[in-house]
PDB file of all heavy atoms in Angstrom:
ATOM      1  N   LEU A 264      21.605  40.331  11.993  1.00 85.00           N
ATOM      2  CA  LEU A 264      22.682  39.820  12.860  1.00 85.00           C
ATOM      3  C   LEU A 264      22.370  38.511  13.526  1.00 85.00           C
ATOM      4  O   LEU A 264      23.264  37.678  13.857  1.00 85.00           O
ATOM      5  CB  LEU A 264      23.090  40.844  13.974  1.00 85.00           C
ATOM      6  CG  LEU A 264      23.525  42.137  13.332  1.00 85.00           C
ATOM      7  CD1 LEU A 264      23.897  43.127  14.499  1.00 85.00           C
ATOM      8  CD2 LEU A 264      24.727  42.020  12.421  1.00 85.00           C
ATOM      9  N   GLU A 316      24.942  41.941   2.157  1.00 65.00           N
ATOM     10  CA  GLU A 316      25.825  40.981   1.329  1.00 65.00           C
ATOM     11  C   GLU A 316      26.015  39.718   2.079  1.00 65.00           C
ATOM     12  O   GLU A 316      26.350  38.714   1.560  1.00 65.00           O
ATOM     13  CB  GLU A 316      27.082  41.637   0.899  1.00 65.00           C
ATOM     14  CG  GLU A 316      26.872  42.851  -0.021  1.00 65.00           C
ATOM     15  CD  GLU A 316      28.196  43.590  -0.315  1.00 65.00           C
ATOM     16  OE1 GLU A 316      29.231  43.062   0.091  1.00 65.00           O
ATOM     17  OE2 GLU A 316      28.060  44.698  -0.788  1.00 65.00           O
ATOM     18  N   ARG A 321      22.445  33.931   1.356  1.00 52.00           N
ATOM     19  CA  ARG A 321      21.891  32.740   2.022  1.00 52.00           C
ATOM     20  C   ARG A 321      20.443  32.556   1.809  1.00 52.00           C
ATOM     21  O   ARG A 321      19.950  31.490   1.597  1.00 52.00           O
ATOM     22  CB  ARG A 321      22.250  32.765   3.528  1.00 52.00           C
ATOM     23  CG  ARG A 321      23.697  32.821   3.846  1.00 52.00           C
ATOM     24  CD  ARG A 321      23.956  32.828   5.298  1.00 52.00           C
ATOM     25  NE  ARG A 321      23.557  31.594   5.943  1.00 52.00           N
ATOM     26  CZ  ARG A 321      23.511  31.380   7.203  1.00 52.00           C
ATOM     27  NH1 ARG A 321      23.884  32.393   8.021  1.00 52.00           N
ATOM     28  NH2 ARG A 321      23.125  30.263   7.733  1.00 52.00           N
ATOM     29  N   PRO A 356       1.639  16.571 -10.357  1.00 77.00           N
ATOM     30  CA  PRO A 356       1.709  16.249 -11.800  1.00 77.00           C
ATOM     31  C   PRO A 356       1.196  14.824 -12.149  1.00 77.00           C
ATOM     32  O   PRO A 356       1.030  14.507 -13.279  1.00 77.00           O
ATOM     33  CB  PRO A 356       3.318  16.320 -11.970  1.00 77.00           C
ATOM     34  CG  PRO A 356       3.824  16.135 -10.594  1.00 77.00           C
ATOM     35  CD  PRO A 356       2.894  16.680  -9.667  1.00 77.00           C
ATOM     36  N   GLU A 372      -1.447  31.404 -22.568  1.00 91.00           N
ATOM     37  CA  GLU A 372      -0.987  32.626 -22.163  1.00 91.00           C
ATOM     38  C   GLU A 372       0.259  33.114 -22.873  1.00 91.00           C
ATOM     39  O   GLU A 372       0.428  34.301 -23.184  1.00 91.00           O
ATOM     40  CB  GLU A 372      -0.632  32.605 -20.604  1.00 91.00           C
ATOM     41  CG  GLU A 372      -1.894  32.342 -19.724  1.00 91.00           C
ATOM     42  CD  GLU A 372      -2.933  33.517 -19.791  1.00 91.00           C
ATOM     43  OE1 GLU A 372      -2.566  34.608 -20.196  1.00 91.00           O
ATOM     44  OE2 GLU A 372      -4.105  33.248 -19.448  1.00 91.00           O
ATOM     45  N   SER A 510      -0.115 -34.643 -29.199  1.00 67.00           N
ATOM     46  CA  SER A 510       1.239 -34.368 -28.646  1.00 67.00           C
ATOM     47  C   SER A 510       1.523 -32.864 -28.818  1.00 67.00           C
ATOM     48  O   SER A 510       2.042 -32.225 -27.870  1.00 67.00           O
ATOM     49  CB  SER A 510       2.227 -35.192 -29.388  1.00 67.00           C
ATOM     50  OG  SER A 510       3.575 -34.802 -29.061  1.00 67.00           O
ATOM     51  N   ASP A 533       9.130  -6.583  -5.396  1.00 71.00           N
ATOM     52  CA  ASP A 533       8.385  -5.393  -4.828  1.00 71.00           C
ATOM     53  C   ASP A 533       8.306  -4.240  -5.842  1.00 71.00           C
ATOM     54  O   ASP A 533       7.689  -3.236  -5.553  1.00 71.00           O
ATOM     55  CB  ASP A 533       8.998  -4.942  -3.515  1.00 71.00           C
ATOM     56  CG  ASP A 533       8.896  -5.916  -2.381  1.00 71.00           C
ATOM     57  OD1 ASP A 533       7.883  -6.736  -2.346  1.00 71.00           O
ATOM     58  OD2 ASP A 533       9.806  -6.044  -1.589  1.00 71.00           O
ATOM     59  N   PHE A 613      32.605 -16.406 -19.873  1.00 90.00           N
ATOM     60  CA  PHE A 613      33.669 -15.460 -19.387  1.00 90.00           C
ATOM     61  C   PHE A 613      33.276 -14.018 -19.683  1.00 90.00           C
ATOM     62  O   PHE A 613      33.578 -13.109 -18.973  1.00 90.00           O
ATOM     63  CB  PHE A 613      35.034 -15.913 -20.067  1.00 90.00           C
ATOM     64  CG  PHE A 613      35.720 -16.927 -19.310  1.00 90.00           C
ATOM     65  CD1 PHE A 613      35.784 -18.260 -19.866  1.00 90.00           C
ATOM     66  CD2 PHE A 613      36.242 -16.772 -18.090  1.00 90.00           C
ATOM     67  CE1 PHE A 613      36.485 -19.230 -19.220  1.00 90.00           C
ATOM     68  CE2 PHE A 613      36.953 -17.739 -17.453  1.00 90.00           C
ATOM     69  CZ  PHE A 613      37.061 -19.030 -17.957  1.00 90.00           C
ATOM     70  N   ASP A 669      20.107  22.746  12.359  1.00 82.00           N
ATOM     71  CA  ASP A 669      21.289  23.629  12.514  1.00 82.00           C
ATOM     72  C   ASP A 669      22.492  22.719  12.646  1.00 82.00           C
ATOM     73  O   ASP A 669      23.570  22.990  11.965  1.00 82.00           O
ATOM     74  CB  ASP A 669      21.132  24.458  13.726  1.00 82.00           C
ATOM     75  CG  ASP A 669      22.289  25.480  13.871  1.00 82.00           C
ATOM     76  OD1 ASP A 669      22.629  26.155  12.863  1.00 82.00           O
ATOM     77  OD2 ASP A 669      22.898  25.561  14.946  1.00 82.00           O
ATOM     78  N   THR A 691      17.828  27.132   8.882  1.00 73.00           N
ATOM     79  CA  THR A 691      18.534  28.070   9.692  1.00 73.00           C
ATOM     80  C   THR A 691      18.922  29.266   8.886  1.00 73.00           C
ATOM     81  O   THR A 691      19.547  30.276   9.459  1.00 73.00           O
ATOM     82  CB  THR A 691      19.734  27.432  10.318  1.00 73.00           C
ATOM     83  OG1 THR A 691      20.472  26.707   9.334  1.00 73.00           O
ATOM     84  CG2 THR A 691      19.282  26.433  11.406  1.00 73.00           C
ATOM     85  N   ARG A 796      24.528   7.759  -8.688  1.00 71.00           N
ATOM     86  CA  ARG A 796      24.212   6.425  -8.390  1.00 71.00           C
ATOM     87  C   ARG A 796      24.156   6.069  -6.941  1.00 71.00           C
ATOM     88  O   ARG A 796      23.438   5.136  -6.550  1.00 71.00           O
ATOM     89  CB  ARG A 796      25.244   5.410  -9.071  1.00 71.00           C
ATOM     90  CG  ARG A 796      25.440   5.585 -10.527  1.00 71.00           C
ATOM     91  CD  ARG A 796      26.467   4.686 -11.122  1.00 71.00           C
ATOM     92  NE  ARG A 796      26.119   3.254 -10.830  1.00 71.00           N
ATOM     93  CZ  ARG A 796      26.822   2.267 -11.154  1.00 71.00           C
ATOM     94  NH1 ARG A 796      28.014   2.459 -11.671  1.00 71.00           N
ATOM     95  NH2 ARG A 796      26.434   1.029 -10.940  1.00 71.00           N
ATOM     96  N   PRO A 799      27.356  10.361  -1.419  1.00 84.00           N
ATOM     97  CA  PRO A 799      28.755  10.326  -0.929  1.00 84.00           C
ATOM     98  C   PRO A 799      28.833   9.592   0.417  1.00 84.00           C
ATOM     99  O   PRO A 799      28.009   9.781   1.258  1.00 84.00           O
ATOM    100  CB  PRO A 799      29.140  11.798  -0.826  1.00 84.00           C
ATOM    101  CG  PRO A 799      28.200  12.501  -1.696  1.00 84.00           C
ATOM    102  CD  PRO A 799      26.962  11.760  -1.703  1.00 84.00           C
ATOM    103  N   GLY A 845      10.622 -26.501 -13.925  1.00 83.00           N
ATOM    104  CA  GLY A 845      11.130 -27.875 -13.746  1.00 83.00           C
ATOM    105  C   GLY A 845      10.069 -28.851 -13.204  1.00 83.00           C
ATOM    106  O   GLY A 845       9.994 -30.003 -13.631  1.00 83.00           O
ATOM    107  N   ARG A 910      10.047 -37.726 -28.372  1.00 77.00           N
ATOM    108  CA  ARG A 910       9.375 -38.792 -27.524  1.00 77.00           C
ATOM    109  C   ARG A 910       8.320 -39.513 -28.446  1.00 77.00           C
ATOM    110  O   ARG A 910       8.114 -40.713 -28.268  1.00 77.00           O
ATOM    111  CB  ARG A 910       8.705 -38.185 -26.267  1.00 77.00           C
ATOM    112  CG  ARG A 910       9.776 -37.829 -25.255  1.00 77.00           C
ATOM    113  CD  ARG A 910       9.142 -36.893 -24.162  1.00 77.00           C
ATOM    114  NE  ARG A 910       7.955 -37.422 -23.469  1.00 77.00           N
ATOM    115  CZ  ARG A 910       8.019 -38.111 -22.366  1.00 77.00           C
ATOM    116  NH1 ARG A 910       9.157 -38.288 -21.636  1.00 77.00           N
ATOM    117  NH2 ARG A 910       6.955 -38.580 -21.814  1.00 77.00           N
ATOM    118  N   SER A 974      19.825 -26.947 -32.771  1.00 86.00           N
ATOM    119  CA  SER A 974      21.164 -27.457 -33.173  1.00 86.00           C
ATOM    120  C   SER A 974      21.665 -28.439 -32.047  1.00 86.00           C
ATOM    121  O   SER A 974      21.969 -29.597 -32.384  1.00 86.00           O
ATOM    122  CB  SER A 974      22.167 -26.265 -33.296  1.00 86.00           C
ATOM    123  OG  SER A 974      22.191 -25.583 -32.098  1.00 86.00           O
TER     124      SER A 974
END
Side-chain angles (χ1 to χ4, degrees):
L264 298 180
E316 298 174 9
R321 298 181 65 185
E372 294 296 340
S510 175
D533 294 323
F613 279 108
D669 185 49
T691 51
R796 300 180 62 184
R910 285 162 61 94
S974 60

